[in-house]
Amino acid sequence: MKPLFSLILAALIAVAPPSTAQETQPSVTAAVAEAEGAAAQLRAAVEKLADAVSADDQVVALTEVIRGYEQGLAALRDGLRQASAREAELRARFEAQRGRLVSVLGAMTALQQAPETTMLLHPAGALANARSGMVMSDVTPGLRAEAERLQEDLAEIATVRDLQAGAAQMLGAGLASVQEARRLLASAVTDRSSLPVRYADAPAELQKLRDAAQSLDEFAAGVSRLQLDVGPPMEDFEGAQGTLPLPVVGTILRLYGQPDAAGVERPGWVIATPPAALVTTPWAATIRYRGPLLDYGNVMIIEPARGYLLVFAGMSQVFGEVGDVLQAGDPIGLMGGTEASAQEFGAQFVADAAIGGNAGRTESLYLELRKGQETLDPAEWFVLNPVVEPEQD
């Protein structure tokens, strides 16, 4: 049988300090700070609701409230995801070290029960006893450092848990406010009378075109051929190439021409969004068409400059009328889907954030950019950012 003292030393050596690679892993502190900053942004957006109701232009004020809430929500989602990933990493480390820690605890228990504990005698004699004592003095600081590291890891996990609990409670409390903001926005857009109009309601040709269209591409191409008095371009749209903001907060599921699971390629982007997400126009434009089309849900086609069309499909509600002139950032619709109740929303959001990917983003907005009869790659026109990014494989 291996001498007890040798067993103890082997167990102590087994929990030597972890490698430099482990020591350089990022702390959860940064992710928590980012998530707390996003939570503050969410609270600030909700607190602006009362001012938005009394604003001279409710549409603009309510749009800012909703978009601020959604951007804060996306930032919070990212912070929670990073924090949860760090927690999972720490738990995996615990599992990997479980066997070594059990060996140490077993050896220490045996040490307490053995007669040699009074003198820590080595079976080979005094010289071996002195040498083993020197080894033990070298190993003990490493064991203490490892224990301190484990304590820090446990503190990080506790911090993540506190963050998640606080976020869930705050989100549940703020959900009713943003839902009210969406309801008020839909009403305010209907009542708004300040929008300039380039031309009257859609001509008969547009209605005939819609009835005859077999696809969104065919319909959009037909709209581009219609000669309507929309006037000269309002701003230098072509000069804005590469700077346009995304119309919705979400995740790009399919890029231009990228086939889906069924092998279907689309000349635009498919963007996954949360339920009831707000859709805004990225550029000043005239509404050329709004309403249902085939099985695409509600479709909005706007003209940011002569010869160019932006096509949006998949919304539950659309705002404005044909001929309305929109400013950049004006709301054009809301996505569909059903949010969980306030009691469930916060907890579900936290759980979805931990999963990552597109969990919780159940709706799909289709975005297409056209010039004449051709489609253009939106990647050459829109800016991607930490809130709206292509899905990672």
Side-chain angles (χ1 to χ4, degrees):
M1 177 180 294
K2 183 180 294 187
L4 176 61
F5 202 90
S6 298
L7 177 62
I8 295 170
L9 288 180
L12 290 172
I13 293 172
V15 292
S19 65
T20 304
Q22 288 178 320
E23 293 174 353
T24 57
Q25 289 292 335
S27 170
V28 76
T29 304
V32 170
E34 180 180 338
E36 289 176 343
Q41 182 180 349
L42 283 169
R43 285 190 291 269
V46 170
E47 290 170 359
K48 291 180 180 178
L49 179 57
D51 295 335
V53 172
S54 60
D56 292 337
D57 193 334
Q58 286 191 1
V59 173
V60 172
L62 289 168
T63 298
E64 291 178 353
V65 168
I66 298 170
R67 181 47 55 90
Y69 180 88
E70 291 179 343
Q71 290 176 340
L73 206 64
L76 178 61
R77 184 178 187 271
D78 187 58
L80 288 170
R81 180 188 60 78
Q82 294 183 41
S84 297
R86 176 62 174 166
E87 178 188 3
E89 173 195 327
L90 296 177
R91 290 188 180 279
R93 185 189 303 176
F94 281 136
E95 290 300 319
Q97 293 177 348
R98 182 188 297 274
R100 294 186 298 167
L101 294 175
V102 168
S103 297
V104 172
L105 290 175
M108 296 300 290
T109 300
L111 181 63
Q112 290 178 341
Q113 297 173 351
E116 301 103 307
T117 55
T118 55
M119 298 180 59
L120 289 176
L121 297 178
H122 194 285
L127 181 58
N129 184 56
R131 289 173 177 170
S132 60
M134 295 172 62
V135 172
M136 192 170 188
S137 66
D138 290 339
V139 173
T140 301
L143 181 60
R144 183 179 298 109
E146 176 70 5
E148 292 173 353
R149 253 184 297 273
L150 293 175
Q151 187 174 10
E152 292 173 358
D153 290 350
L154 289 172
E156 285 193 37
I157 291 177
T159 300
V160 172
R161 288 301 183 187
D162 290 342
L163 169 67
Q164 293 171 335
Q169 182 178 5
M170 183 271 297
L171 290 170
L175 179 61
S177 295
V178 76
Q179 288 176 333
E180 176 67 5
R182 295 190 192 110
R183 186 189 67 79
L184 292 173
L185 176 64
S187 176
V189 170
T190 302
D191 297 338
R192 193 183 199 186
S193 59
S194 60
L195 287 179
V197 178
R198 287 286 180 83
Y199 52 88
D201 291 341
E205 292 91 337
L206 187 58
Q207 301 299 329
K208 293 178 181 178
L209 180 63
R210 183 192 66 180
D211 294 340
Q214 299 296 312
S215 68
L216 178 60
D217 180 73
E218 179 182 330
F219 179 71
V223 170
S224 68
R225 287 192 295 266
L226 290 179
Q227 298 299 315
L228 297 175
D229 181 19
V230 298
M234 290 171 285
E235 298 181 51
D236 181 17
F237 179 69
E238 290 186 342
Q241 184 173 355
T243 67
L244 297 180
L246 267 290
V248 70
V249 174
T251 304
I252 298 176
L253 284 177
R254 296 285 181 271
L255 294 169
Y256 181 86
Q258 182 179 4
D260 60 16
V264 177
E265 298 181 7
R266 295 180 177 86
W269 279 352
V270 178
I271 305 175
T273 79
L278 177 67
V279 184
T280 58
T281 175
W283 194 257
T286 302
I287 299 178
R288 293 286 300 270
Y289 176 81
R290 52 91 72 187
L293 178 68
L294 300 174
D295 59 349
Y296 297 101
N298 280 311
V299 172
M300 175 77 77
I301 300 179
I302 60 176
E303 185 172 29
R306 190 182 296 280
Y308 287 91
L309 293 178
L310 278 165
V311 181
F312 306 92
M315 291 173 284
S316 175
Q317 299 181 60
V318 285
F319 304 142
E321 299 296 336
V322 172
D324 287 350
V325 178
L326 308 174
Q327 297 300 312
D330 276 354
I332 59 175
L334 291 170
M335 300 302 294
T338 303
E339 292 173 303
S341 65
Q343 292 181 338
E344 300 173 354
F345 173 68
Q348 186 61 51
F349 179 88
V350 171
D352 289 341
I355 296 172
N358 295 309
R361 291 174 173 170
T362 58
E363 307 306 304
S364 296
L365 176 71
Y366 179 69
L367 165 64
E368 189 171 296
L369 175 60
R370 306 180 70 93
K371 182 180 181 181
Q373 300 300 304
E374 298 180 353
T375 58
L376 305 176
D377 187 349
E380 299 176 0
W381 289 78
F382 288 88
V383 177
L384 296 179
N385 53 61
V387 173
V388 182
E389 288 284 5
E391 180 185 18
Q392 300 297 318
D393 294 331

